[in-house]
């Protein structure tokens, strides 16, 4: 599932002007998404946020522009290719003066794995079979016979970027699931 968060940013010395510019940006972004066949059920419009920088405790009136605001439009879609294509086609928005930026993470689409519970059982079954196979090899090398399973711990399932190691910041469209489990066998 592709999730796309786009924030437009505006600043100025008049609250109404900043709010109006953000509203116009939001309308342009929604129109852009609808042109790319995203439906109302895939587009989430968040309330505009305008902040008075002079009212801050720190920095206050030292700011060159008094008001700063953001407007966010989020796309939640089960069509990751279309989300990626839309993310690469934002040049007309930028040329129209919409100042786009990412909120809460890296720029560009963020992808989330859905249907995790359906894929969990096969992963655990494969991990269990792999653990037994490795234990049999170990027993054979040690000149022993593999006995009964003494204990097992499911451990954790880690979701990462398919091409990289470790943490996935959400920008990887293809995910890699890794099962970390512990199995103890008796050697005879």
């Amino acid at each position: 599932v592709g999730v796309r968060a786009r924030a437009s940013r505006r600043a100025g010395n008049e609250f109404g002007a900043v709010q109006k510019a953000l509203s116009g940006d939001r309308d342009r972004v929604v129109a852009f998404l609808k042109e790319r066949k995203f439906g109302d059920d895939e587009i989430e419009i968040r309330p505009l946020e305008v902040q008075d920088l002079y009212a801050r405790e720190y920095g206050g009136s030292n700011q060159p522009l008094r008001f700063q605001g953001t407007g966010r439009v989020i796309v939640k879609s089960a069509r990751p290719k279309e989300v990626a294509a839309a993310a690469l086609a934002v040049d007309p928005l930028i040329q129209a003066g919409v100042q786009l930026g990412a909120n809460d993470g890296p720029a560009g689409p963020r992808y989330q794995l859905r249907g995790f519970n359906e894929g969990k059982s096969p992963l655990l079954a494969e991990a269990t079979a792999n653990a037994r196979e490795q234990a049999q090899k170990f027993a054979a090398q040690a000149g022993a016979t593999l006995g009964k399973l003494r204990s097992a711990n499911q451990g954790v399932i880690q979701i990462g970027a398919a091409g990289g190691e470790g943490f996935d910041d959400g920008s990887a469209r293809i995910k890699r699931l890794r099962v970390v489990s512990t199995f103890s066998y008796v050697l005879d």
Side-chain angles (χ1 to χ4, degrees), residues 15 42 49 60 87 90 110 112 133 137 147 155 158 166 175 184:
F15 176 86
E42 295 174 297
E49 298 174 14
V90 297
R110 291 187 296 169
Q112 296 176 340
E133 180 183 321
K137 287 179 184 178
Q158 298 173 340
K175 307 292 185 190
S184 296

Side-chain angles (χ1 to χ4, degrees), residues 32-139:
F32 168 83
L33 293 170
K34 288 189 175 195
E35 286 172 9
R36 277 146 190 80
K37 308 296 186 227
F38 289 101
D40 290 338
D41 59 328
E42 295 174 297
I43 300 171
E44 180 181 329
I45 300 169
R46 296 283 176 93
L48 300 177
E49 298 174 14
V50 179
Q51 185 178 40
D52 183 349
L53 300 179
Y54 288 6
R56 285 186 180 175
E57 289 180 33
Y58 179 33
S61 61
N62 294 333
Q63 302 294 326
L65 299 172
R66 181 173 181 171
F67 297 100
Q68 176 179 303
T70 59
R72 289 195 297 160
V73 176
I74 299 173
V75 173
K76 294 183 180 180
S77 175
R79 302 179 297 141
K81 288 181 182 177
E82 288 82 355
V83 171
L88 292 174
V90 297
D91 286 356
L93 289 172
I94 295 168
Q95 291 167 358
V98 178
Q99 300 172 25
L100 298 174
N103 260 3
D104 306 326
R110 291 187 296 169
Y111 300 93
Q112 296 176 340
L113 179 65
R114 298 281 189 217
F116 177 74
N117 286 332
E118 291 80 21
K120 188 174 162 181
S121 293
L123 283 173
L124 292 173
E126 186 178 336
T128 302
N130 186 39
R132 181 155 188 83
E133 180 183 321
Q134 294 302 316
Q136 286 174 331
K137 287 179 184 178
F138 179 80

